[in-house]
Amino acid sequence: MALSKPFSRMVSHVILDLDGTLLNTDGIVNDILKRFLLKYNKQWNAKVAHKIVGKTPVEAATIVLEDYALPLSIEELMTTITPMFSDQWCNIKALPGANRLIKHLSSNGVPMALASNSPKPNIEAKISYHHGWKESFSAIVGGDEVVNGKPSPEIFLEAAKRMHTEPSNCLVIEDSLPGVMAAKNAGMIVVAVPSIPKQADRYSFADEVINSLLDLHPEKWGLPPFTDWIENTLPIEPLYIRGPVIKGFGRGSKVLGIPTANLAAHDFSDVLSEHTSGVYFGWAGLSTRGIFKMVMSVGWNPYFDNTEKTIEPWLLHEFNEDFYGEELRLLVVGYIRPEANFPSLESLIARIHEDGKIAEKSLDLPIYAAYKDSPYLATA
């Protein structure tokens, strides 16, 4: 997913949202509200989770109270759950590409601000667990410092003011609809990174919609380009996944002609929630067969419209027999592209084969080839 309008103007400053854009807050929110609602014999609903994305704390609390008909006032709810959230801030992980983006902009002298609907003390507490973040921002604006939160443009206008620049000089990166609307109302360039899956079409008024921060190309907006892409691939922090091979949707070999070694999605809920959808590559170890190059998709496979996020590796080797039940160890070392839909089955198949060729070639590069010797992949 990468939808962009024709290049319009250059920018000099960047304003970032925090929750859902830089930090993977959604998982923590869901876990806490699930536990809280159980006390009232209520079950947390993902649809409600989508409704509170980008809202101020009070607005989110109001939605939860109304949707679940809780016998509490807003003040009572806030008093109860705020400490629950505070206790978990140390466990909120940076989203893929967040550290890379902040380091890149900071090292290139691009002024940055944080603008979040959260109260400023909460913002500062959250980023204190991420090395180098606080000192990278020349301004931090919280929802408690403005009269109206997003979708009002006030918070972004205040951020620009504190950076001593005009709104038209600013690029905003946002995950929520209220945030994108606020930035557009402020007269700024906006790149949307939707935190809710399968919702890209709702962000069409943004200047660009990307799948994740890994897919951001700052040079489109006149900012310094990333220099870490290597032959159409991006090195990432190694990701380790292991589990028994299961039967998948039955479409790999039969429909696509590409046999995938599927893993049970429910066993990797944490991995799936922490890593953006897209096409990755690396090394695969099978306990009795050896180590092989592999390319894999993570996501919903839009062409088939999956109802759950999955991991589907394709081992780049011809096997004479199935190996269901065998333990598969994956060492993921690079990223190729965002997840995408295709107009036809033929175009999807062609793209998968192209991904395979990219992975096959790239894994011979020293930066990726070295991982083949990892003890993690060693056969039993």
Side-chain angles (χ1 to χ4, degrees), residues 236-253:
I236 63 171
E237 284 293 315
L239 171 61
Y240 301 86
I241 303 172
R242 61 190 292 181
V245 177
I246 65 167
K247 289 190 176 183
F249 297 97
R251 64 185 180 219
S253 297

Side-chain angles (χ1 to χ4, degrees), residues 91-103:
N91 296 321
I92 301 176
K93 295 183 179 181
L95 284 162
N99 282 307
R100 170 179 176 254
L101 175 61
I102 292 172
K103 183 178 179 180

